[in-house]
Amino acid sequence: MEEDKIRNLQVLLQRLDIVRDKITARNEGKEKFNIFTCLMDSSDEVNLHSRFISSLLDPKGNHGLGFAPIDILLKTLNSSFQYDQETIEVIPSFSNWSEYKEIDILLIDRRTKYAIIIENKINACDSNHGDEGQLERYYRRIIEEDKIPQENVEVYYLTIDGHEPSEESVSTSSRYKDLPDILRCITYGNEIMRWLQQCMQIACNKPFIRETIAQYINLIKEMINDTEIEDRLEILKIISKNDDTLASAKLLFDNYKHIQ
């Protein structure tokens, strides 16, 4: 019985090796130059990711796409955010890279009284204080200090893997009990990827910005370890071929940390 398990595992690994070799050969033929990784750490959430996202959202930026990136993001998020083109602010912006009240990315319109808070997490943990969580703090400041009605504030938690913020980040003081309910977790591989792909489409006649977005998309794909859909389907087909290969894959997965 034990010999059968070992044999099944060996066959599974041999089949997966074929797929891995094919992926490796294809990747070796790809262009590897990426302006973002040349200039900074690919996991730098403040100076790379937040700045690039906010600069693309900034209608006053020099990308030449106007308000289209904002509109596409709002549609992607199914947001109810309302803005006036004369009074909307995107912070950080192309003209000022400083954060506002420590918020990674903020869209705010004090005339229409709407705001979107985006907390960007790549590797960092939530920076909670003893009596107030990180997201609670941002939420409170926009409501109390900027006088944005509570029902008009949206809070998004952006990550690579879709994990949720710590419980302390959203409910330490219990002052705003609705925050855990309105908070939305979004990811680079889903919402941000779809937003970027649509932005790239509308930039078809602007080759510099189009190729810059394309390079950023490639960076995200590397960050989320994204493979081509055909590769994923082939791997799935191999693993789910029968009960034996499925059991072998589970055995390998359960013991991977020990193997490492």
Side-chain angles (χ1 to χ4, degrees):
M1 189 68 177
E2 192 65 30
E3 291 181 358
D4 290 340
K5 287 183 178 180
I6 295 174
R7 191 180 307 110
N8 289 332
L9 186 56
Q10 288 174 335
V11 171
L12 173 65
L13 291 173
Q14 288 170 355
R15 291 172 178 169
L16 291 176
D17 272 345
I18 295 173
V19 178
R20 181 175 58 84
D21 290 342
K22 185 170 66 175
I23 294 172
T24 301
R26 187 185 61 237
N27 288 341
E28 286 177 351
K30 285 184 177 179
E31 290 186 48
K32 294 182 173 58
F33 179 83
N34 190 298
I35 189 64
F36 294 103
T37 54
C38 283
L39 296 177
M40 59 190 70
D41 186 341
S42 62
S43 62
D44 189 333
E45 63 188 39
V46 175
N47 297 307
L48 195 165
H49 297 284
S50 292
R51 281 191 178 184
F52 183 75
I53 292 171
S54 63
S55 66
L56 194 55
L57 287 170
D58 182 9
K60 297 178 182 178
N62 60 2
H63 49 64
L65 301 178
F67 292 90
I70 291 179
D71 294 335
I72 293 171
L73 181 67
L74 296 181
K75 186 175 181 180
T76 301
L77 298 177
N78 194 25
S79 168
S80 59
F81 179 83
Q82 298 178 21
Y83 70 90
D84 185 314
Q85 291 189 358
E86 298 297 324
T87 52
I88 186 175
E89 297 177 65
V90 178
I91 310 170
S93 67
F94 183 76
S95 58
N96 185 352
W97 293 122
S98 299
E99 295 176 345
Y100 181 71
K101 301 181 189 291
E102 301 178 311
I103 298 171
D104 288 334
I105 302 172
L106 176 67
L107 279 68
I108 187 169
D109 192 318
R110 292 178 175 82
R111 177 180 292 178
T112 63
K113 296 190 179 300
Y114 277 81
I116 288 178
I117 296 169
I118 300 178
E119 174 59 20
N120 186 16
K121 291 294 184 187
I122 304 294
N123 292 323
C125 298
D126 296 336
S127 56
N128 306 315
H129 297 317
D131 59 345
E132 189 175 40
Q134 182 179 18
L135 292 175
E136 270 188 323
R137 183 167 68 253
Y138 300 160
Y139 192 54
R140 174 185 58 79
R141 287 176 174 178
I142 295 302
I143 293 169
E144 297 180 4
E145 299 172 13
D146 292 274
K147 309 303 179 184
I148 304 298
Q150 190 169 336
E151 62 272 17
N152 292 350
V153 181
E154 299 176 13
V155 183
Y156 296 91
Y157 194 72
L158 172 60
T159 64
I160 295 294
D161 57 5
H163 73 269
E164 296 181 356
S166 64
E167 185 176 344
E168 294 81 4
S169 184
V170 295
S171 59
T172 297
S173 69
S174 71
R175 181 179 300 175
Y176 292 102
K177 295 182 179 180
D178 68 315
L179 179 55
D181 297 324
I182 70 161
L183 174 72
R184 281 187 57 192
C185 294
I186 59 176
T187 67
Y188 278 92
N190 188 2
E191 289 86 356
I192 296 300
M193 182 70 77
R194 289 191 282 124
W195 170 64
L196 289 167
Q197 288 170 339
Q198 291 183 60
C199 287
M200 192 166 66
Q201 289 176 7
I202 64 171
C204 59
N205 62 339
K206 301 180 185 299
F208 286 167
I209 184 64
R210 184 187 68 238
E211 293 305 316
T212 302
I213 296 173
Q215 287 214 345
Y216 186 67
I217 287 175
N218 287 336
L219 173 60
I220 290 178
K221 287 182 177 180
E222 291 179 10
M223 289 168 57
I224 63 178
N225 195 25
D226 190 28
T227 57
E228 298 295 331
I229 184 65
E230 293 82 5
D231 298 329
R232 293 199 296 268
L233 290 174
E234 188 170 356
I235 293 171
L236 180 63
K237 185 178 180 180
I238 291 172
I239 291 176
S240 61
K241 184 175 182 180
N242 54 51
D243 290 342
D244 289 336
T245 54
L246 195 60
S248 296
K250 184 178 185 303
L251 177 66
L252 185 62
F253 178 79
D254 290 344
N255 291 280
Y256 183 69
K257 287 185 178 179
H258 301 296
I259 295 170
Q260 282 184 310

